[in-house]
Amino acid sequence: MARCIFHIDLDAFFVSVEQVLNPKLKGKPVIVGGDPERRGVVASASYEARPFGIHAGMPLSKARRFCPQAILIRANFSRYKDASSKFMKILGHFSPYIEPLGLDEAYLDVTGYEEPYGSPRQLARAIKEKIYEELELTASVGIGTSKVVAKIASDLCKPDGVLEIAPGGEQAFLNPLPVAKLPGVGNKTEQSLKEMGITTIGDLASLPLDMVKRRFGATGAVIHSYARGIDDREVEAPGEAKSISQQLTFGRDTLNRNFLEANLHNLCQEVCQELRSQNKRAKCVAIRLRYADFKTITRQAILKEASDITQVVFTTAQQLLSKAITKQEKPIRLIGIRISSLVGEEKQFPMFDSGTEKSEHLDKAIDRIRRKYGSSAIKTGNGIFTESS
Ligand code: TTP
Ligand code: MG
């Protein structure tokens, strides 16, 4: 099932908060900024001020020249922080999967939460209504199957808009847009791309991946996949990762079962090592497969009991893989693992089962050796296959 991700951003945030407190400012060109005597800049401009060319980051002296009648207000951060925490609280009522970004924007993963509202668009309207009812602020909501699409969509429907990009419509939506709309494409990258004759997202998507990687390194791979509407990033609160994931793109697409399992085992080892280093256990295991045609599927299972044992996670992942590949016979280009529903270290029941204990000892020994000599220093039984085997 495709994910349903919202990017929600308040309109002219600092200015709008000031307008709520002083309604006389509504409908007028208003700027919130620093001290004009100390070379302050514009932090937020009302939509009435924007046609004069005023935007965030512009020196106030210049903004005054562009629009002398604009009303200038000094920033009152405590007011904005207060409004921001109320805003985030409202969003949290609609889905627990919330990732705040700064004061006035957040991602929300609403997959499945839209159902009672009838559609994602109706859920977006309900959220906007609630925000207006409680805070008198308007927001814009971008809806997509990934963060990158949702974020670009919200930017394009400002102010007070909702823009939904339906699953499958990502590429057609992105193609005509300027490359600078992509997160990760700053002025420098935009300029370099222009020198290569690339101005739209569609132009970038059509370049061979190798070429983009050679020119821009790791960032190149990221912006190239964003340009194709591919963005696997989860919605999660920063600093408290709710999941651990790893994935691997193969040099050549494959259907070789042993090769897939060996790589899946290595990925399980990596995520479980990270899990153990955080003294946590996971209850949910998911695999992700991307086929040669870029179709991506996710399959997940809940463990009977939370675990940090590589073999337990791998066995579940292996079963998910088996089920997925009996149904699909298309070559696979990427395999990934994600463990989530992480819980703390304390074990609810003492485990005397000797098999489990053995696996725990083995994991600890492997972690020690890998920490000391690197992850290629040791391969367990499932890691010995090569693609030709
Ligand atoms: P933005 O969401 O970028 O801007 P905005 O809410 O004012 O306008 P928009 O309708 O386009 O979303 O930033 C949110 C707040 O962050 C903004 O109101 C003021 C503050 N801010 C700064 O202080 N400095 C800056 O350079 C920017 C971009 C924002
Ligand atoms: Mg905003």
Side-chain angles (χ1 to χ4, degrees):
M1 189 173 66
R3 294 183 295 164
C4 185
I5 294 175
F6 283 11
H7 179 260
I8 304 159
D9 190 304
L10 296 171
D11 302 318
F13 177 48
F14 287 7
V15 166
S16 304
V17 171
E18 297 298 340
Q19 287 171 324
V20 172
L21 295 168
N22 178 3
K24 282 190 197 139
L25 298 172
K26 285 187 182 174
K28 295 184 179 153
V30 178
I31 296 169
V32 170
D35 185 347
E37 308 307 319
R38 302 172 78 182
R39 296 198 296 161
V41 295
V42 175
S44 179
S46 70
Y47 279 79
E48 289 77 14
R50 296 188 194 194
F52 295 90
I54 295 173
H55 58 79
M58 174 183 272
L60 287 171
S61 52
K62 195 169 175 184
R64 271 204 168 142
R65 258 187 288 126
F66 280 19
C67 181
Q69 69 272 40
I71 301 161
L72 174 64
I73 297 166
R74 288 282 294 278
N76 294 286
F77 287 100
S78 58
R79 292 178 182 172
Y80 315 139
K81 279 196 191 129
D82 183 46
S84 172
S85 60
K86 288 177 179 152
F87 164 62
M88 299 298 172
K89 215 172 189 174
I90 293 170
L91 299 185
H93 286 305
F94 289 91
S95 162
Y97 303 105
I98 174 173
E99 178 177 334
L101 302 163
L103 289 177
D104 85 327
E105 58 180 311
Y107 288 113
L108 209 56
D109 188 331
V110 298
T111 314
Y113 288 84
E114 77 282 18
E115 252 174 51
Y117 295 86
S119 70
R121 200 182 282 268
Q122 276 164 302
L123 170 57
R125 293 223 180 87
I127 294 177
K128 278 162 57 64
E129 270 167 30
K130 190 78 186 158
I131 294 169
Y132 196 78
E133 201 181 291
E134 296 209 358
L135 304 174
E136 274 184 75
L137 298 176
T138 62
S140 299
V141 183
I143 308 173
T145 52
S146 66
K147 284 183 174 181
V148 70
V149 170
K151 171 122 179 143
I152 295 174
S154 77
D155 185 39
L156 290 183
C157 68
K158 279 190 154 294
D160 202 11
V162 175
L163 179 58
E164 180 183 11
I165 309 306
E170 296 84 1
Q171 196 70 73
F173 163 65
L174 294 173
N175 277 346
L177 302 176
V179 269
K181 289 267 177 226
L182 281 181
V185 176
N187 284 345
K188 238 173 93 187
T189 310
E190 185 189 6
Q191 202 49 43
S192 309
L193 285 166
K194 203 171 171 191
E195 283 159 19
M196 295 161 72
I198 304 298
T199 57
T200 66
I201 296 182
D203 294 339
L204 175 59
S206 66
L207 286 181
L209 172 61
D210 277 354
M211 186 198 266
V212 187
K213 263 177 95 173
R214 240 178 291 130
R215 183 69 186 73
F216 301 103
T219 315
V222 175
I223 58 170
H224 188 260
S225 54
Y226 287 176
R228 304 188 61 163
I230 298 165
D231 174 11
D232 295 333
R233 289 174 301 159
E234 302 287 339
V235 172
E236 52 191 12
E240 45 170 291
K242 291 190 182 78
S243 67
I244 302 173
S245 56
Q246 274 292 343
Q247 60 184 37
L248 178 73
T249 303
F250 304 124
R252 194 152 39 97
D253 301 342
T254 182
L255 258 175
N256 183 319
R257 173 78 173 262
N258 289 339
F259 178 70
L260 288 168
E261 284 193 355
N263 280 294
L264 186 60
H265 189 264
N266 278 342
L267 295 173
C268 287
Q269 250 170 357
E270 283 176 30
V271 291
C272 288
Q273 186 176 356
E274 174 62 28
L275 184 66
R276 291 189 289 272
S277 76
Q278 293 181 15
N279 284 331
K280 288 185 177 152
R281 290 168 297 128
K283 190 103 177 58
C284 182
V285 175
I287 63 160
R288 170 173 284 151
L289 296 176
R290 178 165 299 139
Y291 297 101
D293 60 2
F294 278 88
K295 182 177 182 287
T296 307
I297 61 158
T298 305
R299 296 287 175 266
Q300 77 176 37
I302 307 293
L303 299 176
K304 274 202 209 93
E305 199 180 318
S307 176
D308 63 359
I309 298 168
T310 301
Q311 194 56 36
V312 172
V313 170
F314 174 62
T315 306
T316 305
Q318 196 180 22
Q319 286 161 359
L320 293 171
L321 177 68
S322 295
K323 265 195 232 154
I325 54 186
T326 43
K327 286 196 190 131
Q328 277 277 8
E329 275 299 295
K330 277 188 289 185
I332 291 166
R333 72 186 317 269
L334 169 148
I335 189 164
I337 177 101
R338 186 183 78 229
I339 47 178
S340 57
S341 298
L342 308 185
V343 294
E345 189 187 28
E346 21 4 285
K347 291 185 174 135
Q348 272 137 353
F349 309 103
M351 287 194 277
F352 296 116
D353 169 62
S354 59
T356 310
E357 247 180 89
K358 242 196 245 162
S359 300
E360 280 182 339
H361 283 310
L362 179 66
D363 282 341
K364 280 195 183 124
I366 292 173
D367 290 352
R368 264 199 313 275
I369 294 169
R370 286 184 155 204
R371 267 200 303 275
K372 206 160 168 192
Y373 302 108
S375 60
S376 59
I378 189 161
K379 294 258 187 280
T380 53
N382 297 82
I384 55 170
F385 296 103
T386 62
E387 196 174 359
S388 55
S389 66

